[in-house]
Amino acid sequence: MSDDRIRTNGGGRAPGTSATGEQPQTLLVLGAGGDLTTRLLLPGLGGLVDTSSMADLLLIGSDRGEESDEGWRSTVARAFADGGAEGPAVDTVVANTRYITADATDDHGLNRLLAHCRGRTTIYLALPPAVMVETCRALARTGVPHGTRLVLEKPFGTDADSASALNELLHGLVPEDHVHRVDHFLGMTTVLNILGVRFANRVVEPLLSSEHVEAVDITFDETLGLEGRAGFYDGAGALRDMVQSHLLQVLALVAMSPPSTLEGVDVRDAKAQVLRATRVWDDRPDRYSRRARYTAGTVDGRSLPSYTEEEGTDPARGTETLAEVVLAVDTWRWAGVPFRVRSGKAIGEPRQEVAFRFRDPQHIPAGLTGEVIGNRLRIGLGPRRIEMELNVNGPGDPFDLSPVTLETGFGPGDLLEYGEVLRGVLEDEKPLSVRGDMSVESWRIIEPVLDAWRHGRVPLHDYRAGSTGPANWESWET
Ligand SMILES: O=C1O[C@H](COP(=O)(O)O)[C@@H](O)[C@H](O)[C@H]1O
């Protein structure tokens, strides 16, 4: 098995061996003082160090702000504990970690940082977009140790052109194979489960095509509102924040042709083919996209102010907190099937799933009575569950149909999402990150929508926080 094959749960390494054979390695986190590092990255890393006995990992945190080694060590220890990690490997990594105050956009600061790295070096850029580009430029000037892996958080560029320019900059630094564009959805067991459900079930995969499927709904709604993230979110909105990145990656997994292996090259080629074939339905973003923004309301018993009253938002920007777009995937398998992609914040009773809506049966024998529902296969993206909605002869009259749902849940993965992502990075599992061409394609897909919205061709509606969206939105007619 080569290095970059997706490993499913339970594929942990034998205790005592390191992630990359016996080679020591350094993980240098730039942006160590940020929320992403403390809230997501470190708890995920702790679990990975624990399950993989990765005691030889040298973790270096760096940011512009002053911090002592001691202070950083307790931050790391706390975050590892939050992620449920404990044991000798965890203790060793905590004891050896250090913090270096440096400005990574500055050559001197970078050289100082790189001088502390040993073995195979992975530089994780947990930085805001503008700083990230400046840091890549600085890295291009200073150069990086041979074999360095670069890890970049989203957003990767702000449009297709800037994503291409960033790719070019990175390719001047390290080969594409050594670049990991992080999409934490690709570390979610629920998302990876799409592979198992699709490709290990004879009763599923042959049915997933335009012959049997009428529509595919990819939905990731959240009860969460802005929650203090105006600085990032107000300049992004739901379409860029969720659809351009995560949900198009999910769409690619859902629609790709079966790859012959789970090697990075096979999975990524199959996904890239889908993205290249994807466009807004009927090429009409004004007709097949919608946007809305929440007003004050109650979600899960919490009162949320209206989005525009959240601190740091600029109402004039017209940032949407709910985005929907209907996409076409022009391949033999999916031509004519609408993919309705949606993500919203502050939504009551949110759905997080991929739902395949099947066509009606060609013929129902006369004599079977009752309502026939369209079959649906739902694969949960948040809650870990799979549901199949079927028609059966119900109780009572044996010829009367009733709908039933076959449902099963499954437990969490061994690692938190960021643990899985970091494992992908440290073990070079390519399918768990986004290839450069895919990120450009994803921007290309949504640019017509952004353009239509920018020019006011699609109205910005309101919905009450805690509702399911604007009251006047009806089902898509495609
Ligand atoms: O990347 C993001 O994802 C989260 C949703 O993912 P989750 O794993 O935290 O459930 C979303 O809330 C956030 O706005 C977005 O930037």
Side-chain angles (χ1 to χ4, degrees), residues 420-441:
E420 204 63 62
V421 162
L422 281 162
R423 177 157 76 183
V425 167
L426 296 176
E427 298 184 11
D428 261 348
E429 286 178 349
K430 304 294 174 341
L432 295 180
S433 65
V434 178
R435 201 169 65 190
D437 57 330
M438 288 190 227
S439 95
V440 175
E441 282 303 323

Side-chain angles (χ1 to χ4, degrees), residues 191-223:
V191 170
L192 294 174
N193 181 43
I194 292 169
L195 298 171
V197 174
R198 280 195 61 194
F199 302 134
N201 292 294
R202 187 73 184 239
V203 295
V204 175
E205 185 52 20
L207 298 183
L208 299 186
S209 74
S210 60
E211 194 185 343
H212 302 289
V213 175
E214 192 173 83
V216 181
D217 289 289
I218 300 176
T219 308
F220 200 89
D221 285 346
E222 302 171 276
T223 52

